[in-house]
Amino acid sequence: MDTKDLWVLDGGMGRELARRGAPFRQPEWSALALMEAPETVREVHQAYAASGARVITTNSYALVPFHIGAERFAAEGERLAALAGQLAREVADEQGAVQVAGSLPPLFGSYRADLYQAERVSELATPLIRALSPHVDLWLAETMSLIAEPLALKALLPGDGKPFWVSFTLEDEAPGSEPTLRSGERVADAVTALASAGVDAILFNCCQPEVIEGALKVASAVLQAHGRTDVRLGAYANAFPPQPKEATANDCLDEIRGDLGPLDYLGWAERWRGAGASLIGGCCGIGPEHIEALASRLR
């Protein structure tokens, strides 16, 4: 893997929808625009692609019972996921040279490793995978808080040969401490497990930028030790202050840090690239202007 072959990813969807006036509330979060204003979802995808993103991610993150409720998920979840895939695919095809990542979210709530139910993964993930499959170029299990969930998702994927990327969210602890997932599991153990399972990329997202560099360094060392230098590394941080251990992502519009403008964020991205990342984008609070800075400077 050539770390110089940098791919710029897109940024956050939910806040960008809200910024553009799309209907937005809890508990539906970014799924509400998919239901009531799909054209705004398309506009956000277009904005990221125009800013230089090489990968745009389907707006399927909130299409789980945690956000839209069990009844609506059973009745409409698969249709909405298909719409999310279709919107991203159309924009990617219009732009050219843009790939679509199929977002497979934490099925039981962001940051909530304690709510994970292994016996329900197939029930909730299968409709999403089936609906997204015709539209995506790669699979992205994102904001994973524990090791078991992405491994369970991988087992459900079709044998389509499409790359499988996994992105973990980290504890927002002081830089310098051993990086851990929000479950408390060590990043080193997570990377070992995912490398053994044959994933194509390991990323870190939805945490403050300060904790990502250490995780990338650990991941790079583990991959080298296992002879898996073909696995790409990546990062896309959020713009939140450090989140407490009891936090649940997307339960409100969190305050945005004032020190993470486009050029500030670019500085962190340059450090991540130096630590081995070749897939770099943004999460909550990171918008098209940030992605434009990444695309114009890092490439």
Side-chain angles (χ1 to χ4, degrees), residues 29-52:
W29 199 254
S30 57
L32 189 60
L34 199 61
M35 301 169 189
E36 299 182 7
E39 279 305 310
T40 312
V41 176
R42 182 196 300 272
E43 289 173 13
V44 175
H45 286 318
Q46 289 171 330
Y48 282 124
S51 296

Side-chain angles (χ1 to χ4, degrees), residues 147-231:
I147 298 170
E149 189 162 14
L151 294 176
L153 290 170
K154 186 177 188 300
L156 298 173
L157 293 178
D160 53 15
K162 295 175 182 177
F164 180 49
W165 297 2
V166 174
S167 191
F168 290 107
T169 179
L170 305 169
E171 284 285 4
D172 285 325
E173 297 175 342
S177 57
E178 181 177 18
T180 61
L181 312 186
R182 294 189 188 272
S183 61
E185 295 166 303
R186 298 166 63 240
V187 164
D189 295 331
V191 174
T192 297
L194 271 292
S196 298
V199 301
D200 298 280
I202 297 172
L203 305 88
F204 303 101
N205 81 298
C206 211
C207 46
Q208 60 177 349
E210 287 86 347
V211 300
I212 288 179
E213 185 179 6
L216 287 169
K217 289 179 177 179
V218 168
S220 180
V222 170
L223 291 174
Q224 287 193 22
H226 286 80
R228 289 300 314 276
T229 54
D230 58 312
V231 177

